[in-house]
């Protein structure tokens, strides 16, 4: 091989993303692509402008985060080491049915309020887009200057059309079926957004107003997604008391629509579901064996994360954030909300009566406020005990004081369920990482090294080759990516060099923003974004659009 290669990674253990056995090879990169993989014994070594001796490192495709909430973080933070340092080279955003395109001015204002707990209020962002295509163009423009090399974003991003935002845009916040005209408008928006580059559609069916859509409405939207070769990614109607029925509903709906299905953060949570992962997997296996196109993602932790306001019953959130606050200010209505949350089990809390000792406040909208910041890092039950009051009193006061902007970590998962689901043949990795808040969930900074270190090396739940396939080749296939997710000649050089013996998440619940160890190099399009364990000044990310 001539010396015109830009980079040669020499004598590296290649874990190629297929799940097949790893092998030793020289890998050459040129013009942003994998130009050569030389594994023949005795063949001449590759040479190039730069040669990196791999030592004991492994080389894999870049990790694909199938469930990310970096919709504004990618435009706020050109460094974005939270993901880049994990080896993530592509994030799938627009999740859980709520994001920032397509919108009109009124819808944008509402959605910014609704998901402040996920992404902040966006006051530091110039929202100079309204359509999905314009948002993807904005990602491509990214940053210029500011000490960074090039123009773009830290890592690549693909986008899902948020069905809840669509309904907000076309129907509003009413709990009612869409009219024929409204449904036609939503279908047109889905078609336009898919044509502009979205890879599919997401739903948040425990979040208003998306949860107000019935199966007939969702099926019609999914048919449009399927026509454009996309997939449906629902956060379904229950992860608690009705979890199995909710999974079955999504499987049936997607098959009726002829649409590929990707189940978001596919967990079985709360006491009612302890030990029930085999029932979920049997449901999926039956559908797969019958020809269904299904995949799923999980994060390798037991707690979940969302907002405190999401725990309220859906009727309390009808009409949008201001209507919710008005209900909370009315003593009689607030008492009715309390009864649903604590006694009946609200649909916002998956039909399970609230256990306040599982709800830890991870962030508030104004952390500089001593009143609000005092809640962070403790459960509602702990804060209530210190104040000598009932937990609902504490939660109610925080919801009002923080204008529904508080984010939470919810300690309701089960380790056996987590391990069983991650072994499944259609499993992929997703962080569900909310980067907002003083003490975010450690999955935001640690998901991918945690898979490699804890669940692969330490526990042996997955082999190294299996784990890498779950994080690379398999998600790339779901996204229909033609030249990413595998180490093959001609594929894009989105690559991670890591040490299988030391790779580990640095983030913990006590110190969630700690970066991982054992991942010295990360490349996107053949350019180092992490080099010798440090973030470079390179902006190599851009939007990845359907069909690319």
């Amino acid at each position: 091989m001539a010396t015109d290669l830009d980079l040669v990674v020499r004598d590296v253990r290649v874990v190629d993303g297929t799940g097949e056995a790893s092998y030793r090879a020289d890998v050459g990169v040129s013009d942003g692509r994998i130009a050569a993989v030389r594994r023949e014994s005795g063949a001449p070594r590759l040479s190039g402008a730069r040669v990196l001796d791999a030592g004991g490192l492994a080389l894999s495709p870049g990790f694909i985060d199938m469930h990310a909430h970096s919709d504004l973080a990618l435009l706020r933070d050109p460094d974005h080491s939270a993901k880049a340092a994990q080896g993530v080279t592509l994030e799938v955003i627009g999740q859980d049915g709520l994001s920032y395109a397509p919108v009109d001015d009124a819808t944008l204002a509402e959605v910014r309020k609704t998901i402040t707990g996920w992404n902040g209020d966006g006051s530091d962002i110039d929202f100079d887009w309204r359509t999905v295509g314009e948002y993807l163009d904005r990602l491509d423009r990214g940053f210029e200057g500011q000490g960074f090399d090039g123009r773009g974003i830290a890592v690549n991003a693909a986008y899902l059309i948020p069905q809840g935002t669509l309904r907000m845009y076309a129907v509003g916040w009413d709990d009612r079926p869409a009219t024929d005209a409204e449904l036609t408008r939503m279908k047109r928006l889905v078609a336009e957004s898919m044509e502009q580059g979205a890879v599919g559609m997401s739903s948040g069916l425990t979040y208003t107003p998306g949860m107000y859509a019935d199966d007939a409405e969702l099926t019609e939207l999914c048919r449009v997604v399927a026509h454009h070769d996309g997939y449906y990614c629902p956060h379904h109607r229950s992860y608690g008391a009705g979890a199995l029925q909710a999974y079955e509903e999504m499987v049936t709906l997607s098959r009726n629509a002829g649409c590929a299905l990707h189940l978001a953060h596919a967990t079985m949570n709360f006491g009612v579901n302890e030990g029930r992962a085999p029932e979920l997997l049997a449901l999926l296996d039956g559908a797969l064996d019958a020809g269904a196109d299904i995949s799923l993602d999980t994060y390798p932790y037991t707690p979940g994360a969302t907002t405190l306001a999401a725990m309220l019953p859906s009727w309390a959130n009808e009409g949008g954030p201001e209507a919710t606050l008005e209900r909370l200010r009315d003593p009689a209505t607030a008492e009715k909300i309390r009864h649903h949350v604590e006694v009946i089990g609200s649909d916002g809390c998956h039909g399970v009566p609230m256990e306040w000792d599982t709800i830890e406040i991870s962030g508030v909208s104004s952390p500089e406020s001593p009143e609000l910041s005092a809640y962070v890092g403790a459960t509602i039950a702990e804060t209530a005990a210190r104040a000598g009051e009932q937990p609902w009193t504490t939660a109610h006061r925080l919801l009002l004081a923080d204008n529904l902007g508080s984010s939470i970590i919810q300690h309701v998962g089960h380790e056996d369920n987590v391990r069983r689901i991650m072994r499944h043949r259609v499993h992929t990795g997703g962080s569900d990482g909310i980067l907002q808040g003083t003490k975010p969930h450690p999955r935001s900074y640690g998901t991918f090294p945690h898979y490699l270190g804890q669940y692969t090396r330490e526990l042996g739940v997955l082999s190294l080759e299996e784990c890498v396939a779950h994080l690379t080749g398999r998600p790339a296939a779901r996204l229909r990516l033609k030249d990413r997710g595998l180490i093959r000649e001609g594929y894009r050089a989105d690559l991670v060099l890591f040490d299988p013996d030391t790779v580990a998440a640095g983030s913990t619940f006590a110190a969630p923003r700690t970066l991982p160890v054992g991942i010295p190099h990360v490349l996107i399009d053949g350019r180092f974004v992490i080099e010798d364990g440090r973030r470079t000044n390179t902006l190599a990310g851009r939007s990845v659009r359907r069909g690319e």
Side-chain angles (χ1 to χ4, degrees):
M1 177 65 65
T3 60
D4 56 356
L5 294 171
D6 299 328
L7 171 70
V8 173
V9 184
R10 181 162 288 170
D11 193 27
V12 70
R13 179 182 176 183
V14 175
V15 190
D16 67 5
T18 65
E20 299 297 320
S22 59
Y23 57 87
R24 302 207 73 84
D26 290 356
V27 177
V29 172
S30 186
D31 295 326
R33 293 188 178 268
I34 299 169
V37 180
R38 179 161 294 177
R39 56 192 289 189
E40 297 89 348
S41 177
R45 307 303 294 267
L46 295 181
S47 59
R50 177 176 177 183
V51 176
L52 180 62
D53 188 346
L57 299 180
L59 179 72
S60 80
F63 305 137
I64 297 175
D65 188 342
M66 286 296 288
H67 193 105
H69 288 284
S70 300
D71 307 46
L72 298 186
L74 286 165
L75 297 174
R76 177 181 290 128
D77 178 16
D79 181 271
H80 201 46
S81 287
K83 294 302 179 67
Q86 291 188 61
V88 171
T89 58
L90 171 61
E91 298 185 89
V92 184
I93 55 178
Q95 299 285 351
D96 293 329
L98 291 166
S99 189
Y100 306 93
V103 292
D104 58 11
D105 291 353
T107 305
L108 176 61
E110 287 294 294
V111 79
R112 285 175 62 183
K113 294 176 186 175
T114 302
I115 52 176
T116 292
W118 293 358
N119 298 311
D121 64 7
S123 58
D124 54 343
I125 301 292
D126 179 12
F127 289 90
D128 57 355
W129 68 84
R130 294 298 179 267
T131 69
V132 167
E134 290 168 349
Y135 175 66
L136 297 178
D137 289 342
R138 178 67 182 84
L139 292 175
D140 288 341
R141 291 198 309 274
F143 301 89
E144 195 166 22
Q146 302 185 34
F148 280 79
D149 177 22
R151 186 174 74 174
I153 47 180
V155 304
N156 297 314
Y159 189 74
L160 294 167
I161 307 160
Q163 172 262 329
T165 300
L166 280 181
R167 203 169 209 276
M168 200 184 304
Y169 191 173
V171 181
W173 286 88
D174 295 339
D175 182 2
R176 62 170 175 81
T179 66
D180 289 345
E182 290 164 344
L183 181 57
T184 297
R185 186 182 188 194
M186 285 190 284
K187 290 167 67 175
R188 185 175 67 250
L189 286 168
V190 171
E192 291 171 354
S193 298
M194 293 296 295
E195 289 162 2
Q196 291 164 9
V199 296
M201 182 179 75
S202 74
S203 284
L205 299 178
T206 64
Y207 299 132
T208 54
M211 69 186 302
Y212 299 144
D214 61 19
D215 285 1
E217 179 181 316
L218 294 171
T219 299
E220 286 298 303
L221 298 180
C222 284
R223 286 183 175 136
V224 181
V225 173
H227 178 74
H228 291 85
D229 201 27
Y231 68 94
Y232 181 42
C233 180
H235 162 134
H236 49 273
R237 298 192 193 274
S238 176
Y239 290 81
L244 286 173
Q245 296 92 328
Y247 281 113
E248 186 172 10
E249 176 193 6
M250 294 298 100
V251 170
T252 301
L253 186 156
S254 66
R255 299 202 72 183
N256 289 340
C259 188
L261 176 66
H262 181 85
L263 296 166
H265 38 57
T267 58
M268 294 286 288
N269 286 340
F270 303 93
V272 294
N273 289 317
E274 186 171 4
R276 298 188 71 188
E279 296 174 62
L280 167 61
L281 301 181
L283 168 67
L284 299 182
D285 284 336
L288 288 162
D289 292 344
D293 184 358
I294 301 174
S295 55
L296 58 88
D297 67 68
T298 72
Y299 45 84
Y301 298 87
T302 53
T306 185
T307 64
L308 183 59
M311 298 292 101
L312 302 180
S314 58
W315 59 262
N317 282 317
E318 186 178 358
E322 290 305 319
T324 302
L325 289 167
E326 283 302 312
R327 293 184 181 103
L328 288 167
R329 292 186 187 108
D330 177 69
T333 308
E335 171 57 24
K336 182 180 176 183
I337 293 171
R338 182 205 67 77
H339 185 74
H340 275 256
V341 168
E342 292 191 333
V343 180
I344 296 174
S346 79
D347 48 5
C349 194
H350 309 277
V352 178
M354 180 64 69
E355 297 174 345
W356 292 110
D357 59 351
T358 70
I359 304 296
E360 178 184 350
I361 302 301
S362 58
V364 291
S365 60
S366 299
E368 68 280 359
S369 163
E371 176 193 359
L372 294 177
S373 63
Y375 290 89
V376 175
T379 68
I380 292 292
E382 289 169 340
T383 301
R386 287 199 298 267
E389 61 190 15
Q390 293 299 310
W392 167 252
T393 303
T394 301
H396 181 238
R397 183 171 60 251
L398 177 57
L399 286 162
L400 289 172
D402 202 20
N403 289 307
L404 311 180
S406 306
S407 51
I408 65 171
I409 295 173
Q410 193 171 15
H411 297 269
V412 291
H414 305 285
E415 182 67 21
D416 182 67
N417 286 347
V418 168
R419 296 188 193 187
R420 286 178 179 270
I421 294 170
M422 75 168 63
R423 290 191 186 104
H424 196 266
R425 53 181 160 144
V426 298
H427 171 267
T428 67
S431 70
D432 196 13
I434 295 173
L435 300 169
Q436 189 73 10
T438 306
K439 294 187 71 176
H441 196 301
R443 68 192 184 191
S444 301
Y445 284 70
T447 286
F448 295 87
H450 201 50
Y451 266 120
L452 292 166
Q454 177 77 359
Y455 286 92
T456 297
R457 183 183 63 248
E458 301 297 334
L459 298 176
V461 175
L462 298 168
S463 72
L464 182 62
E465 290 85 355
E466 288 172 329
C467 184
V468 168
H470 287 221
L471 307 182
T472 62
R474 193 176 292 170
R478 164 52 71 218
L479 293 167
R480 309 280 201 265
L481 301 179
K482 300 173 182 177
D483 57 2
R484 301 176 196 268
L486 301 175
I487 294 183
R488 286 183 179 168
E489 292 181 1
Y491 274 52
R492 292 184 180 272
D494 294 354
L495 301 168
V496 182
L497 277 153
F498 64 92
D499 185 344
D501 295 330
T502 64
V503 61
S507 59
T508 63
F509 287 97
R513 296 187 185 276
T514 307
L515 296 179
V517 297
I519 305 178
H521 304 293
V522 181
L523 296 88
I524 296 178
D525 274 358
R527 303 168 66 193
F528 284 90
V529 295
I530 300 291
E531 187 171 11
D532 295 323
R534 295 183 177 85
R535 179 72 169 93
T536 70
N537 69 345
T538 297
L539 293 170
R542 62 176 184 85
S543 68
V544 174
R545 308 186 190 212
R546 183 184 58 83
E548 291 188 354

